[in-house]
Amino acid sequence: MQLSVIGTGYVGLVTGAVFADLGNEVICVDKDEEKITALRAGIMPIYEPGLEEMVRHNAEEGRLSFTTDTEEAVRRSEVVFIAVGTPSLPDGQPDLSQVEDACRHIACALNAPKVIVNKSTVPVGTGDVVRRWIEQYAPADHPPFDVVSNPEFLREGSAIYDTLHPDRIVIGAANQNAAMKLIELYAPLERPMIVTDVNSAELIKYASNCFLAMKISYINAIARICDLSGADVTLVAKGMGYDKRIGDQFLQAGLGWGGSCFPKDVSAMIATADALGYDFQLLKAVKQINEEQPLYFVGKMRNALGGLDGKRIAILGLSFKPNTDDLREAKSLQIITALLAEGAEVRAYDPIAMPKARAIFPQITYCENAYDAATGCDAVAVVTEWNEFRQINLEKLRQSMRRPLLFDGRNIYNPQKVKQAGLEYYGIGRSANTAPFARAASQ
Ligand SMILES: NC(=O)c1ccc[n+]([C@@H]2O[C@H](COP(=O)([O-])OP(=O)(O)OC[C@H]3O[C@@H](n4cnc5c(N)ncnc54)[C@H](O)[C@@H]3O)[C@@H](O)[C@H]2O)c1
């Protein structure tokens, strides 16, 4: 099939590469000329395992190409994906101006019947808005087109895998022909597909992301109760997770959710509900718990260190989660800002996100590795759970430190092992004095 993807970011580039890999002819479009020039030269704008090889291979085979000329790409395609950004406006509503801009270009290039597929995350009702925009900008005698909602569920860091093995493919279409095009396109993946009306598909995306955010905020609230009562949240979560109705995923207490999706999708859902006349109090609490969590962590450091002024602190991990260099809404940003505001000195290490972080925090020290970051520090704080921190040599880490305090913002360590290495351990919801035999028996 001949496709184009407007917006060559995380979603657009991965979608384009995977569809090309499945044998389609795909044109990826972006208005960012530098990005397109780099992609033509085989340079990826983002870090994503397996992406570079897949892009290079399909570009060499002639199935994947890059352009800034949206209209030419649309003219050559029967299916056009919109995968532009939908960032938050100050009131929490998503900014749809990039979607509108894409629609304007599509409208001007309608040379034959087309299926316009919205992959960007947009509030319920946007399908109708997209149709109106295209009709408004297209010539009066334009050929027919369908608008389909096909929300994206990939996770940064495993985007290629997720696109090839989605839990489900959601297709929201107003008629069978349009739905069939998408079914045909996705058929080689052999994954469950659900076909709905456009509004329901749009809402499935928000309802899913907000539910996952709620699960994380819920276990973080339970962690607060663990800290107050002396229970261990990792054991509580394990005991809950065996219940099939609950499940064990997204039940890891820590610093909360960040990234480009959950924060903006939760805000958008609250704003959309408000606009529709429903006060979504549950989701407002989910958001508030999440905003408090990094400050609660900084509070733990302040208490244990007797103030932060003049303290030297190592931050391990800057990206919002492992396997990405994405810093959008990363917890490190809130934590480092709070530490600097209270007069602490920050030394940071992240396997890949340091170049991006330098632009935000030029005043902190960037280090070669975790041990280098810990040198002369009063405390080490794990903020992103990169694998290389899990198996760190804790004794070696302690040897270079001024004071032996370890703050485990992602609960990745066994507190007993940390203590055996001569470090004081501070996790999230893990102040329990659980007997070692109990923890060992639950591994
Ligand atoms: N990143 C994720 O993990 C993820 C997951 C699921 C859904 N989504 C959703 O997918 C959408 C895209 O997200 P992303 O992370 O890929 O965004 P991104 O910011 O990485 O990429 C968007 C790209 O669109 C380009 N663009 C903007 N307007 C354009 C236009 N008119 N014509 C051509 N190019 C244009 C930008 O230059 C940019 O390269 C968002 O709605 C997001 O919420 C993202």
Side-chain angles (χ1 to χ4, degrees):
M1 216 179 284
Q2 189 79 41
L3 317 174
S4 54
V5 184
I6 306 178
T8 308
Y10 276 93
V11 170
L13 181 55
V14 172
T15 302
V18 167
F19 278 137
D21 212 51
L22 294 174
N24 300 287
E25 282 187 33
V26 183
I27 311 171
C28 281
V29 186
D30 207 285
K31 63 179 182 184
D32 181 339
E33 281 186 25
E34 268 181 44
K35 192 180 265 190
I36 293 301
T37 308
L39 279 163
R40 282 178 175 156
I43 301 164
M44 298 301 110
I46 50 167
Y47 173 76
E48 198 59 54
L51 180 64
E52 191 171 336
E53 297 77 359
M54 192 180 267
V55 167
R56 189 169 301 151
H57 169 68
N58 285 285
E60 278 167 11
E61 302 263 311
R63 285 188 298 269
L64 181 61
S65 59
F66 301 96
T67 182
T68 54
D69 187 343
T70 312
E71 289 167 30
E72 176 58 17
V74 172
R75 274 192 284 273
R76 288 174 45 194
S77 307
E78 44 180 317
V79 178
V80 179
F81 284 88
I82 301 176
V84 296
T86 48
S88 281
L89 289 167
D91 68 354
Q93 293 276 11
D95 177 356
L96 297 180
S97 58
Q98 296 180 28
V99 177
E100 183 177 5
D101 193 42
C103 289
R104 192 178 298 120
H105 287 288
I106 293 168
C108 298
L110 280 179
N111 58 339
K114 295 189 195 289
V115 177
I116 315 300
V117 187
N118 194 7
K119 226 178 209 324
S120 296
T121 303
V122 292
V124 54
T126 305
D128 286 338
V129 178
V130 163
R131 162 165 292 285
R132 279 202 300 276
W133 277 333
I134 297 178
E135 270 166 2
Q136 179 188 334
Y137 296 120
D141 57 346
H142 66 78
F145 66 92
D146 287 298
V147 176
V148 173
S149 168
N150 172 222
E152 181 53 60
F153 297 93
L154 65 77
R155 297 162 299 174
E156 289 177 22
S158 54
I160 296 276
Y161 178 87
D162 290 348
T163 307
L164 286 167
H165 309 91
D167 286 345
R168 77 302 208 186
I169 295 153
V170 177
I171 300 168
N175 66 62
Q176 198 179 352
N177 281 353
M180 285 312 293
K181 268 270 178 276
L182 274 274
I183 290 171
E184 193 187 325
L185 199 53
Y186 280 109
L189 297 182
E190 297 183 355
R191 303 300 297 165
M193 295 194 210
I194 167 168
V195 180
T196 69
D197 56 283
V198 175
N199 280 0
S200 301
E202 289 169 341
L203 200 50
I204 286 170
K205 171 65 190 177
Y206 279 107
S208 303
N209 270 10
C210 292
F211 188 85
L212 295 173
M214 180 182 74
K215 247 184 132 178
I216 297 171
S217 283
Y218 182 81
I219 199 66
N220 280 337
I222 296 292
R224 297 286 287 268
I225 296 173
C226 289
D227 274 343
L228 292 168
S229 64
D232 182 328
V233 74
T234 60
L235 299 177
V236 175
K238 195 162 231 163
M240 289 169 66
Y242 281 124
D243 186 328
K244 286 192 206 67
R245 294 167 304 174
I246 298 173
D248 60 359
Q249 293 194 41
F250 283 72
L251 219 48
Q252 286 76 36
L255 296 170
W257 34 273
S260 67
C261 288
F262 281 12
K264 92 177 165 63
D265 292 353
V266 167
S267 295
M269 188 71 181
I270 292 170
T272 302
D274 265 340
L276 291 168
Y278 176 63
D279 181 11
F280 207 152
Q281 291 189 37
L282 172 64
L283 211 49
K284 287 179 181 170
V286 165
K287 187 175 176 210
Q288 190 189 334
I289 291 167
N290 194 58
E291 285 166 357
E292 287 168 1
Q293 203 65 1
L295 302 178
Y296 176 60
F297 188 59
V298 171
K300 276 179 183 262
M301 290 191 226
R302 188 190 303 113
N303 290 343
L305 289 164
L308 293 166
D309 194 17
K311 302 297 185 320
R312 185 184 284 184
I313 302 194
I315 298 291
L316 302 189
L318 295 165
S319 54
F320 87 89
K321 67 173 184 181
N323 296 325
T324 176
D325 61 351
D326 197 341
L327 287 172
R328 288 179 283 183
E329 302 274 345
K331 295 297 156 183
S332 62
L333 306 184
Q334 229 179 320
I335 291 168
I336 293 172
T337 303
L339 291 175
L340 294 176
E342 294 196 38
E345 182 195 336
V346 174
R347 293 170 65 78
Y349 168 69
D350 185 285
I352 59 170
M354 290 196 290
K356 284 192 177 169
R358 269 180 221 276
I360 304 170
F361 295 115
Q363 68 274 53
I364 69 173
T365 306
Y366 294 91
C367 303
E368 294 277 302
N369 53 45
Y371 306 107
D372 180 21
T375 305
C377 281
D378 297 288
V380 167
V382 175
V383 172
T384 314
E385 64 277 38
W386 283 94
N387 269 343
E388 67 176 74
F389 302 147
R390 292 179 189 273
Q391 294 300 335
I392 208 160
N393 183 332
L394 292 166
E395 287 182 10
K396 186 174 164 193
L397 195 75
R398 176 184 50 82
Q399 279 158 15
S400 64
M401 294 175 68
R402 189 153 68 190
R403 286 177 67 184
L405 274 69
L406 178 67
F407 292 87
D408 183 3
R410 299 294 178 179
N411 288 349
I412 59 174
Y413 298 113
N414 178 325
Q416 266 78 36
K417 287 198 176 143
V418 175
K419 285 176 201 159
Q420 278 159 15
L423 287 149
E424 285 174 36
Y425 179 83
Y426 299 88
I428 303 281
R430 303 184 82 187
S431 46
N433 288 314
T434 309
F437 78 85
R439 208 183 297 275
S442 318
Q443 297 296 317

